[in-house]
Coordinates of all heavy atoms in Angstrom, one line a residue:
M1 N 92.4 88.4 91.8 CA 93.5 88.1 90.9 C 93.3 89.0 89.6 O 92.3 89.1 89.1 CB 93.4 86.6 90.6 CG 94.7 86.2 90.0 SD 94.8 84.4 89.7 CE 94.7 83.7 91.4
M2 N 94.5 89.5 89.2 CA 94.5 90.3 88.0 C 94.6 89.3 86.7 O 95.1 88.3 86.8 CB 95.6 91.3 88.0 CG 95.5 92.3 89.1 SD 96.9 93.4 89.1 CE 96.4 94.5 90.4
K3 N 94.2 89.9 85.6 CA 94.4 89.1 84.4 C 95.6 89.5 83.6 O 95.6 90.6 83.1 CB 93.1 89.3 83.5 CG 93.2 88.4 82.3 CD 91.8 88.4 81.6 CE 91.9 87.5 80.4 NZ 90.7 86.8 80.2
W4 N 96.6 88.7 83.6 CA 97.9 89.0 83.0 C 97.8 88.4 81.5 O 97.3 87.3 81.1 CB 99.0 88.2 83.6 CG 99.2 88.8 85.0 CD1 98.7 88.3 86.1 CD2 100.2 89.7 85.2 NE1 99.1 89.0 87.2 CE2 100.1 90.0 86.7 CE3 101.0 90.5 84.6 CZ2 100.9 90.8 87.4 CZ3 101.9 91.4 85.3 CH2 101.8 91.7 86.6
A5 N 98.2 89.2 80.5 CA 98.2 88.9 79.1 C 99.7 88.7 78.7 O 100.5 89.6 78.9 CB 97.5 90.0 78.3
P6 N 100.0 87.6 78.1 CA 101.4 87.3 77.6 C 101.7 88.3 76.5 O 100.9 88.3 75.5 CB 101.5 85.9 77.2 CG 100.0 85.5 77.0 CD 99.2 86.4 77.9
V7 N 102.8 89.0 76.5 CA 103.2 89.9 75.4 C 104.2 88.9 74.5 O 104.1 88.9 73.3 CB 103.9 91.1 75.9 CG1 104.6 91.9 74.7 CG2 103.0 92.0 76.8
N8 N 105.2 88.2 75.2 CA 106.0 87.3 74.5 C 106.4 86.3 75.6 O 105.9 86.3 76.7 CB 107.2 88.0 73.8 CG 108.0 88.8 74.8 OD1 108.3 88.4 75.9 ND2 108.5 89.9 74.3
R9 N 107.3 85.5 75.3 CA 107.8 84.4 76.2 C 108.3 84.9 77.6 O 108.1 84.4 78.6 CB 108.8 83.6 75.7 CG 109.0 82.3 76.3 CD 110.1 81.5 75.6 NE 111.1 81.3 76.6 CZ 112.4 81.1 76.3 NH1 112.8 81.0 75.0 NH2 113.4 81.0 77.2
D10 N 108.8 86.2 77.6 CA 109.4 86.7 78.8 C 108.7 88.0 79.4 O 109.3 88.6 80.3 CB 110.8 87.0 78.5 CG 111.7 85.8 78.1 OD1 111.4 84.7 78.7 OD2 112.6 85.9 77.3
T11 N 107.6 88.3 78.9 CA 106.9 89.6 79.2 C 105.4 89.4 79.3 O 104.9 88.8 78.5 CB 107.2 90.7 78.3 OG1 108.6 90.8 78.1 CG2 106.7 92.1 78.7
Y12 N 104.9 89.9 80.4 CA 103.3 89.9 80.6 C 102.9 91.3 80.9 O 103.6 92.1 81.5 CB 103.0 88.9 81.8 CG 103.6 87.5 81.5 CD1 104.9 87.1 81.8 CD2 102.6 86.5 80.9 CE1 105.2 85.9 81.6 CE2 103.1 85.3 80.7 CZ 104.5 84.9 81.0 OH 104.8 83.7 80.7
R13 N 101.6 91.5 80.5 CA 101.0 92.8 80.7 C 99.8 92.7 81.6 O 99.0 91.8 81.4 CB 100.7 93.4 79.3 CG 100.1 94.8 79.3 CD 99.7 95.2 78.0 NE 99.0 94.3 77.2 CZ 99.4 93.9 75.9 NH1 100.5 94.4 75.4 NH2 98.7 93.1 75.2
V14 N 99.6 93.8 82.4 CA 98.3 93.9 83.1 C 98.0 95.3 83.3 O 98.8 96.2 83.2 CB 98.5 93.2 84.6 CG1 99.5 94.0 85.4 CG2 97.3 92.9 85.3
K15 N 96.6 95.6 83.5 CA 96.2 96.9 83.8 C 95.8 97.1 85.2 O 95.3 96.2 85.8 CB 94.9 97.2 82.9 CG 95.1 97.4 81.5 CD 95.0 98.9 81.3 CE 95.0 99.2 79.8 NZ 95.1 100.6 79.5
S16 N 96.3 98.2 85.8 CA 96.0 98.4 87.2 C 95.8 99.9 87.5 O 96.7 100.7 86.9 CB 97.1 97.8 88.1 OG 96.9 98.3 89.5
D17 N 94.7 100.3 88.0 CA 94.4 101.7 88.2 C 94.6 102.6 87.0 O 95.2 103.7 87.0 CB 95.3 102.2 89.3 CG 94.8 103.5 90.0 OD1 93.5 103.7 89.9 OD2 95.6 104.2 90.6
G18 N 94.1 102.0 85.8 CA 94.2 102.8 84.6 C 95.5 102.8 83.9 O 95.6 103.5 82.9
R19 N 96.5 102.2 84.5 CA 97.8 102.2 83.8 C 98.2 100.8 83.4 O 97.9 99.8 83.9 CB 98.9 102.7 84.8 CG 98.7 104.1 85.3 CD 99.7 104.5 86.3 NE 101.0 104.8 85.7 CZ 102.0 105.1 86.2 NH1 102.1 105.1 87.6 NH2 103.2 105.2 85.7
T20 N 99.0 100.7 82.3 CA 99.5 99.4 81.8 C 100.8 99.2 82.5 O 101.8 100.0 82.5 CB 99.7 99.4 80.3 OG1 98.4 99.7 79.7 CG2 100.3 98.2 79.8
W21 N 101.0 98.0 83.0 CA 102.2 97.5 83.7 C 102.8 96.3 82.9 O 102.0 95.5 82.5 CB 102.0 97.1 85.2 CG 101.7 98.4 86.0 CD1 100.5 99.0 86.1 CD2 102.6 99.1 86.8 NE1 100.5 100.0 87.0 CE2 101.8 100.2 87.4 CE3 103.9 99.1 87.0 CZ2 102.5 101.1 88.3 CZ3 104.5 99.9 87.9 CH2 103.8 101.0 88.5
L22 N 104.1 96.2 82.9 CA 104.8 95.1 82.2 C 105.5 94.3 83.2 O 106.3 95.0 84.1 CB 105.6 95.5 81.1 CG 104.9 96.3 80.0 CD1 105.9 96.9 79.0 CD2 104.0 95.3 79.2
L23 N 105.5 93.0 83.2 CA 106.3 92.2 84.1 C 107.3 91.5 83.1 O 106.8 90.6 82.3 CB 105.5 91.1 84.9 CG 106.2 90.3 85.9 CD1 106.9 91.1 87.0 CD2 105.3 89.3 86.5
R24 N 108.6 91.8 83.2 CA 109.6 91.3 82.3 C 110.6 90.5 83.0 O 111.1 90.9 84.0 CB 110.2 92.5 81.5 CG 111.2 92.3 80.4 CD 111.6 93.5 79.7 NE 111.9 94.6 80.5 CZ 113.2 94.8 81.0 NH1 114.1 94.0 80.7 NH2 113.4 96.0 81.7
S25 N 110.9 89.4 82.4 CA 112.0 88.6 82.9 C 113.3 89.2 82.7 O 113.7 89.8 81.7 CB 112.0 87.2 82.1 OG 113.1 86.4 82.5
T26 N 114.2 89.2 83.8 CA 115.4 89.8 83.8 C 116.4 88.8 84.3 O 117.0 89.0 85.4 CB 115.5 91.2 84.6 OG1 114.9 90.8 85.9 CG2 114.5 92.2 84.0
P27 N 116.7 87.8 83.6 CA 117.6 86.7 84.2 C 119.1 87.1 84.5 O 119.7 86.5 85.3 CB 117.5 85.6 83.1 CG 117.1 86.3 81.8 CD 116.3 87.4 82.3
Q28 N 119.6 88.1 83.8 CA 120.9 88.5 84.1 C 120.9 89.6 85.2 O 122.1 89.9 85.6 CB 121.5 89.1 82.9 CG 121.5 88.2 81.6 CD 122.2 87.0 81.9 OE1 123.3 86.8 82.6 NE2 121.5 85.8 81.4
A29 N 119.8 90.0 85.7 CA 119.8 91.1 86.8 C 119.8 90.4 88.2 O 119.7 89.1 88.3 CB 118.6 92.0 86.6
K30 N 119.9 91.2 89.2 CA 119.9 90.7 90.6 C 118.6 90.0 90.9 O 118.6 89.1 91.6 CB 120.3 91.9 91.5 CG 120.1 91.5 93.0 CD 120.4 92.6 93.9 CE 120.4 92.3 95.4 NZ 120.7 93.4 96.2
Y31 N 117.5 90.5 90.4 CA 116.2 89.9 90.6 C 115.7 89.4 89.3 O 115.9 89.9 88.3 CB 115.2 91.0 91.1 CG 115.6 91.6 92.5 CD1 116.3 92.7 92.5 CD2 115.4 90.9 93.6 CE1 116.7 93.2 93.8 CE2 115.7 91.4 94.9 CZ 116.4 92.5 95.0 OH 116.8 93.0 96.2
P32 N 114.9 88.3 89.3 CA 114.4 87.6 88.1 C 113.5 88.3 87.3 O 113.3 88.1 86.1 CB 114.0 86.2 88.6 CG 114.0 86.2 90.1 CD 114.6 87.5 90.5
W33 N 112.7 89.2 87.9 CA 111.6 89.9 87.2 C 111.6 91.4 87.5 O 112.1 91.9 88.5 CB 110.3 89.4 87.5 CG 110.1 87.9 87.1 CD1 110.4 86.8 87.9 CD2 109.5 87.5 85.9 NE1 110.0 85.7 87.1 CE2 109.6 86.1 85.9 CE3 109.1 88.1 84.8 CZ2 109.1 85.3 84.9 CZ3 108.6 87.4 83.7 CH2 108.7 86.0 83.8
L34 N 111.2 92.2 86.5 CA 111.1 93.7 86.7 C 109.6 94.1 86.3 O 109.2 93.8 85.3 CB 112.0 94.4 85.9 CG 112.0 95.9 85.9 CD1 112.5 96.4 87.4 CD2 112.8 96.6 84.9
L35 N 108.9 94.7 87.3 CA 107.6 95.3 87.0 C 107.7 96.7 86.7 O 108.4 97.4 87.5 CB 106.7 95.0 88.2 CG 105.3 95.6 88.1 CD1 104.5 94.8 87.1 CD2 104.6 95.5 89.5
H36 N 107.2 97.1 85.6 CA 107.4 98.6 85.2 C 106.3 99.0 84.3 O 105.6 98.3 83.7 CB 108.8 98.8 84.5 CG 108.9 98.0 83.2 ND1 108.5 98.6 82.0 CD2 109.4 96.8 83.0 CE1 108.7 97.7 81.1 NE2 109.3 96.6 81.6
T37 N 106.1 100.4 84.4 CA 105.1 101.0 83.4 C 105.7 101.0 81.9 O 107.0 100.6 81.8 CB 104.7 102.3 83.9 OG1 105.9 103.1 84.0 CG2 104.0 102.3 85.2
S38 N 104.9 101.4 81.0 CA 105.4 101.5 79.7 C 106.6 102.5 79.6 O 106.5 103.6 80.1 CB 104.3 101.9 78.7 OG 103.3 100.9 78.7
P39 N 107.7 102.1 78.9 CA 108.9 103.0 78.8 C 108.3 104.2 78.0 O 107.5 104.1 77.2 CB 109.8 102.2 77.9 CG 109.5 100.8 78.1 CD 108.0 100.8 78.3
G40 N 108.8 105.4 78.3 CA 108.5 106.7 77.8 C 107.4 107.4 78.4 O 107.2 108.6 78.1
E41 N 106.8 106.7 79.4 CA 105.7 107.5 80.2 C 106.4 108.6 80.9 O 107.5 108.3 81.5 CB 105.0 106.5 81.1 CG 103.9 105.7 80.4 CD 103.0 105.1 81.5 OE1 103.0 105.4 82.6 OE2 102.3 104.0 81.1
S42 N 105.7 109.7 81.2 CA 106.3 110.8 81.9 C 106.4 110.4 83.3 O 107.4 110.9 84.0 CB 105.5 112.0 81.8 OG 104.2 111.8 82.2
D43 N 105.6 109.5 83.9 CA 105.7 109.1 85.3 C 106.1 107.6 85.3 O 105.4 106.9 86.1 CB 104.5 109.4 86.0 CG 103.2 108.8 85.4 OD1 103.3 108.4 84.2 OD2 102.2 108.8 86.0
Y44 N 107.2 107.3 84.6 CA 107.6 105.9 84.6 C 108.0 105.3 86.0 O 108.6 106.1 86.8 CB 108.9 105.8 83.7 CG 109.6 104.4 83.7 CD1 109.0 103.5 82.7 CD2 110.7 104.2 84.4 CE1 109.6 102.2 82.7 CE2 111.2 102.9 84.4 CZ 110.7 102.0 83.5 OH 111.3 100.6 83.5
E45 N 107.6 104.1 86.2 CA 107.8 103.5 87.5 C 108.3 102.1 87.3 O 107.9 101.5 86.3 CB 106.6 103.5 88.5 CG 106.1 104.8 89.0 CD 105.0 104.6 89.9 OE1 105.1 104.0 90.9 OE2 103.8 105.1 89.6
E46 N 109.2 101.6 88.2 CA 109.6 100.2 88.2 C 110.0 99.7 89.6 O 110.2 100.5 90.4 CB 110.8 100.0 87.3 CG 112.1 100.7 87.8 CD 113.2 100.5 86.9 OE1 113.1 100.4 85.7 OE2 114.3 100.3 87.4
T47 N 109.8 98.4 89.7 CA 110.2 97.7 91.0 C 110.6 96.3 90.6 O 110.0 95.6 89.8 CB 109.0 97.8 92.0 OG1 109.5 97.3 93.3 CG2 107.9 96.9 91.6
P48 N 111.7 95.8 91.3 CA 112.1 94.4 91.1 C 111.2 93.4 91.7 O 110.5 93.8 92.7 CB 113.5 94.4 91.6 CG 113.5 95.4 92.6 CD 112.5 96.5 92.2
V49 N 111.1 92.3 91.2 CA 110.2 91.1 91.8 C 111.2 90.0 91.9 O 111.9 89.6 91.0 CB 109.0 90.9 90.9 CG1 108.3 89.7 91.5 CG2 108.1 92.1 90.7
G50 N 111.2 89.4 93.2 CA 112.3 88.4 93.5 C 111.9 87.0 93.2 O 112.8 86.1 93.5
S51 N 110.7 86.6 92.8 CA 110.4 85.2 92.6 C 110.9 84.7 91.3 O 110.6 85.4 90.3 CB 108.8 85.0 92.8 OG 108.6 83.7 92.6
P52 N 111.5 83.5 91.2 CA 111.9 83.0 89.8 C 110.8 82.4 89.0 O 110.9 82.4 87.8 CB 112.9 81.9 90.2 CG 112.6 81.5 91.7 CD 111.9 82.7 92.3
E53 N 109.7 81.9 89.6 CA 108.6 81.4 88.9 C 107.6 82.5 88.4 O 107.2 83.4 89.2 CB 107.8 80.3 89.6 CG 108.6 79.2 90.1 CD 109.4 79.3 91.3 OE1 109.0 80.2 92.2 OE2 110.3 78.7 91.6
V54 N 107.0 82.4 87.2 CA 106.3 83.5 86.7 C 105.0 83.6 87.5 O 104.6 84.8 87.8 CB 106.0 83.2 85.1 CG1 105.2 82.1 84.9 CG2 105.2 84.5 84.6
E55 N 104.4 82.5 87.9 CA 103.1 82.7 88.6 C 103.3 83.4 89.9 O 102.4 84.2 90.3 CB 102.4 81.3 88.7 CG 101.9 80.7 87.5 CD 103.1 79.8 86.8 OE1 104.1 79.7 87.4 OE2 102.8 79.4 85.7
T56 N 104.3 83.0 90.6 CA 104.5 83.7 92.0 C 105.0 85.1 91.7 O 104.6 85.9 92.6 CB 105.7 82.8 92.6 OG1 105.3 81.5 92.7 CG2 105.8 83.4 94.1
A57 N 105.7 85.4 90.7 CA 106.1 86.8 90.4 C 104.9 87.6 90.1 O 104.8 88.8 90.5 CB 107.1 86.8 89.2
Q58 N 103.9 87.0 89.3 CA 102.7 87.7 89.1 C 101.9 88.0 90.4 O 101.4 89.2 90.6 CB 101.8 87.1 88.1 CG 102.4 87.0 86.8 CD 101.7 86.0 85.8 OE1 100.9 85.2 86.2 NE2 101.8 86.3 84.5
R59 N 101.9 87.1 91.3 CA 101.1 87.4 92.6 C 101.8 88.4 93.4 O 101.2 89.3 94.0 CB 101.0 86.0 93.5 CG 100.3 84.8 92.8 CD 98.8 85.1 92.4 NE 98.5 85.7 91.2 CZ 98.6 85.1 90.0 NH1 99.0 83.9 89.8 NH2 98.3 85.7 88.9
Q60 N 103.2 88.4 93.4 CA 103.9 89.4 94.2 C 103.7 90.7 93.5 O 103.6 91.8 94.2 CB 105.4 89.1 94.1 CG 105.8 87.9 95.0 CD 107.3 87.6 94.9 OE1 108.0 87.9 94.0 NE2 107.7 86.9 96.0
A61 N 103.6 90.9 92.2 CA 103.4 92.1 91.5 C 102.0 92.6 91.8 O 101.8 93.8 92.0 CB 103.6 91.9 90.0
E62 N 101.0 91.7 91.8 CA 99.7 92.1 92.2 C 99.6 92.7 93.6 O 98.9 93.7 93.9 CB 98.7 90.9 92.1 CG 98.5 90.5 90.7 CD 97.7 89.1 90.6 OE1 97.2 88.7 91.6 OE2 97.7 88.6 89.4
L63 N 100.3 92.1 94.5 CA 100.3 92.6 95.9 C 100.9 94.0 95.9 O 100.4 94.9 96.5 CB 101.1 91.6 96.8 CG 101.2 92.1 98.3 CD1 99.9 92.4 98.9 CD2 102.1 91.2 99.1
W64 N 102.1 94.2 95.2 CA 102.7 95.4 95.2 C 101.8 96.5 94.6 O 101.8 97.7 95.1 CB 104.1 95.4 94.4 CG 104.8 96.6 94.4 CD1 105.8 97.0 95.4 CD2 104.7 97.7 93.4 NE1 106.3 98.3 95.1 CE2 105.6 98.7 93.9 CE3 104.1 98.0 92.3 CZ2 105.9 99.9 93.2 CZ3 104.2 99.2 91.6 CH2 105.2 100.2 92.0
L65 N 101.1 96.2 93.5 CA 100.2 97.0 92.9 C 99.1 97.6 93.7 O 98.7 98.6 93.8 CB 99.8 96.5 91.5 CG 100.8 96.5 90.3 CD1 100.3 95.6 89.2 CD2 101.2 97.8 89.9
S66 N 98.6 96.5 94.4 CA 97.4 96.7 95.4 C 97.9 97.7 96.6 O 97.2 98.6 96.8 CB 96.9 95.4 96.0 OG 96.4 94.6 95.0
L67 N 99.1 97.4 97.1 CA 99.6 98.3 98.1 C 99.8 99.7 97.7 O 99.6 100.7 98.3 CB 100.8 97.7 98.8 CG 100.5 96.4 99.6 CD1 101.9 95.7 100.0 CD2 99.6 96.6 100.7
R68 N 100.4 99.7 96.4 CA 100.7 101.1 95.8 C 99.4 101.9 95.6 O 99.4 103.1 95.9 CB 101.4 100.8 94.4 CG 101.7 102.0 93.7 CD 102.2 101.7 92.2 NE 102.2 102.9 91.5 CZ 101.2 103.5 90.9 NH1 100.0 103.0 91.1 NH2 101.3 104.6 90.3
Y69 N 98.4 101.2 95.2 CA 97.0 101.9 95.0 C 96.5 102.5 96.4 O 96.1 103.5 96.5 CB 96.1 100.9 94.4 CG 94.7 101.4 94.4 CD1 94.3 102.4 93.5 CD2 93.6 101.0 95.2 CE1 93.0 103.0 93.4 CE2 92.4 101.5 95.2 CZ 92.1 102.5 94.3 OH 90.8 103.0 94.3
L70 N 96.6 101.5 97.4 CA 96.1 101.9 98.7 C 96.9 103.2 99.3 O 96.4 104.0 99.9 CB 96.2 100.8 99.7 CG 95.2 99.6 99.5 CD1 95.4 98.5 100.4 CD2 93.7 100.3 99.6
D71 N 98.2 103.1 99.0 CA 99.1 104.3 99.4 C 98.7 105.5 98.8 O 98.5 106.6 99.4 CB 100.5 103.9 99.2 CG 101.5 105.0 99.7 OD1 101.4 105.2 100.9 OD2 102.3 105.5 98.9
E72 N 98.4 105.4 97.4 CA 98.0 106.6 96.7 C 96.6 107.1 97.1 O 96.4 108.3 97.3 CB 98.0 106.3 95.2 CG 99.4 106.3 94.6 CD 99.2 106.1 93.1 OE1 98.1 105.9 92.5 OE2 100.3 106.1 92.3
L73 N 95.8 106.2 97.4 CA 94.5 106.6 97.9 C 94.5 107.3 99.2 O 93.8 108.2 99.4 CB 93.5 105.3 97.9 CG 92.1 105.4 98.4 CD1 91.4 106.4 97.2 CD2 91.4 104.2 98.4
S74 N 95.3 106.7 100.1 CA 95.3 107.3 101.4 C 95.9 108.7 101.4 O 95.5 109.6 102.1 CB 96.2 106.4 102.4 OG 97.6 106.4 102.0
H75 N 96.9 108.9 100.4 CA 97.4 110.3 100.3 C 96.4 111.3 99.8 O 96.2 112.4 100.2 CB 98.6 110.4 99.4 CG 99.8 109.8 99.9 ND1 99.9 109.1 101.1 CD2 101.1 110.0 99.6 CE1 101.2 108.7 101.4 NE2 102.0 109.3 100.5
K76 N 95.5 110.8 98.8 CA 94.5 111.6 98.3 C 93.5 112.0 99.3 O 92.9 113.0 99.3 CB 93.8 110.9 97.1 CG 94.6 110.8 95.8 CD 93.9 110.1 94.7 CE 94.8 109.8 93.5 NZ 94.1 109.0 92.6
L77 N 93.1 111.0 100.2 CA 92.1 111.3 101.2 C 92.7 111.9 102.5 O 92.0 112.3 103.3 CB 91.5 109.9 101.7 CG 90.8 109.1 100.6 CD1 90.3 107.7 101.1 CD2 89.6 109.9 100.1
G78 N 94.0 112.1 102.4 CA 94.6 112.7 103.6 C 94.7 111.9 104.9 O 94.8 112.3 106.0
V79 N 94.7 110.6 104.7 CA 94.8 109.6 105.8 C 96.2 109.6 106.2 O 97.1 109.3 105.4 CB 94.3 108.2 105.4 CG1 94.4 107.3 106.6 CG2 92.8 108.3 104.9
R80 N 96.5 109.7 107.5 CA 97.9 109.6 108.1 C 98.2 108.2 108.4 O 97.3 107.3 108.8 CB 98.0 110.4 109.3 CG 97.8 111.9 109.0 CD 97.9 112.6 110.2 NE 99.3 112.6 110.7 CZ 99.7 113.2 111.8 NH1 99.0 114.0 112.4 NH2 101.0 113.1 112.2
G81 N 99.4 107.8 108.2 CA 99.9 106.4 108.4 C 100.0 106.2 110.0 O 99.8 107.1 110.8
Y82 N 100.3 104.9 110.3 CA 100.5 104.5 111.7 C 101.7 105.3 112.2 O 102.7 105.4 111.7 CB 100.8 103.0 111.8 CG 101.0 102.6 113.1 CD1 100.1 102.4 114.1 CD2 102.4 102.3 113.4 CE1 100.5 102.0 115.4 CE2 102.9 101.9 114.7 CZ 101.9 101.7 115.7 OH 102.2 101.4 116.9
E83 N 101.5 105.9 113.4 CA 102.6 106.5 114.1 C 102.6 105.9 115.5 O 101.6 105.9 116.2 CB 102.4 108.0 114.2 CG 102.4 108.8 112.8 CD 102.0 110.2 113.0 OE1 102.1 110.8 114.1 OE2 101.8 110.9 112.0
E84 N 103.8 105.5 115.8 CA 104.0 104.9 117.2 C 104.0 106.0 118.2 O 104.5 107.0 118.1 CB 105.4 104.3 117.2 CG 105.6 103.3 118.5 CD 106.8 102.6 118.4 OE1 107.1 102.0 117.3 OE2 107.4 102.5 119.4
S85 N 103.1 105.7 119.3 CA 103.0 106.7 120.3 C 104.3 106.6 121.2 O 104.9 105.5 121.3 CB 101.7 106.5 121.1 OG 101.7 105.1 121.7
P86 N 104.7 107.8 121.9 CA 105.8 107.7 122.6 C 105.6 106.8 123.8 O 104.6 106.6 124.3 CB 106.0 109.2 123.1 CG 104.9 109.9 122.5 CD 104.0 109.0 121.8
S87 N 106.8 106.3 124.3 CA 106.8 105.3 125.4 C 106.5 106.2 126.7 O 107.0 107.3 126.8 CB 108.0 104.6 125.6 OG 108.3 103.8 124.4
P88 N 105.8 105.6 127.6 CA 105.5 106.4 128.9 C 106.7 106.5 129.6 O 107.7 105.8 129.7 CB 104.4 105.5 129.6 CG 104.4 104.2 128.9 CD 105.2 104.3 127.7

């Protein structure tokens, strides 16, 4: 479990793989939360999080960050993803 730091009532911060990520409440948007890197970063990233409760949104964000890290690691190592074999 990652350690989330409250920035204010609607925003939480976490470090993952050397980057700072913010989980921000977006009540007027399609999804209740937005996970994103710090605005202004040259490699800015964002992804919506669909859970209305903050604790569940944080767990979903942690899962996304973990999968993102594994995907980046597999690319660095040259690991190929699952490929379905042709049917006989």
Side-chain angles (χ1 to χ4, degrees):
M1 192 177 302
M2 296 178 175
K3 183 168 181 147
W4 293 88
V7 175
N8 59 42
R9 197 178 117 204
D10 298 322
T11 306
Y12 298 85
R13 178 179 51 235
V14 71
K15 283 254 187 194
S16 176
D17 196 27
R19 296 178 75 186
T20 299
W21 292 83
L22 300 169
L23 183 64
R24 185 171 46 89
S25 175
T26 54
Q28 304 303 321
K30 180 178 179 182
Y31 297 98
W33 294 89
L34 180 67
L35 177 68
H36 62 89
T37 55
S38 297
E41 281 192 18
S42 59
D43 54 347
Y44 176 82
E45 290 183 61
E46 67 177 34
T47 189
V49 178
S51 177
E53 297 85 23
V54 65
E55 294 84 8
T56 308
Q58 289 173 343
R59 299 299 85 74
Q60 288 177 342
E62 290 173 11
L63 176 61
W64 186 87
L65 289 168
S66 297
L67 292 173
R68 181 188 167 281
Y69 172 75
L70 288 175
D71 184 57
E72 285 184 357
L73 184 61
S74 68
H75 284 20
K76 287 178 186 175
L77 297 174
V79 177
R80 296 178 63 176
Y82 172 79
E83 293 178 11
E84 188 173 321
S85 56
S87 299

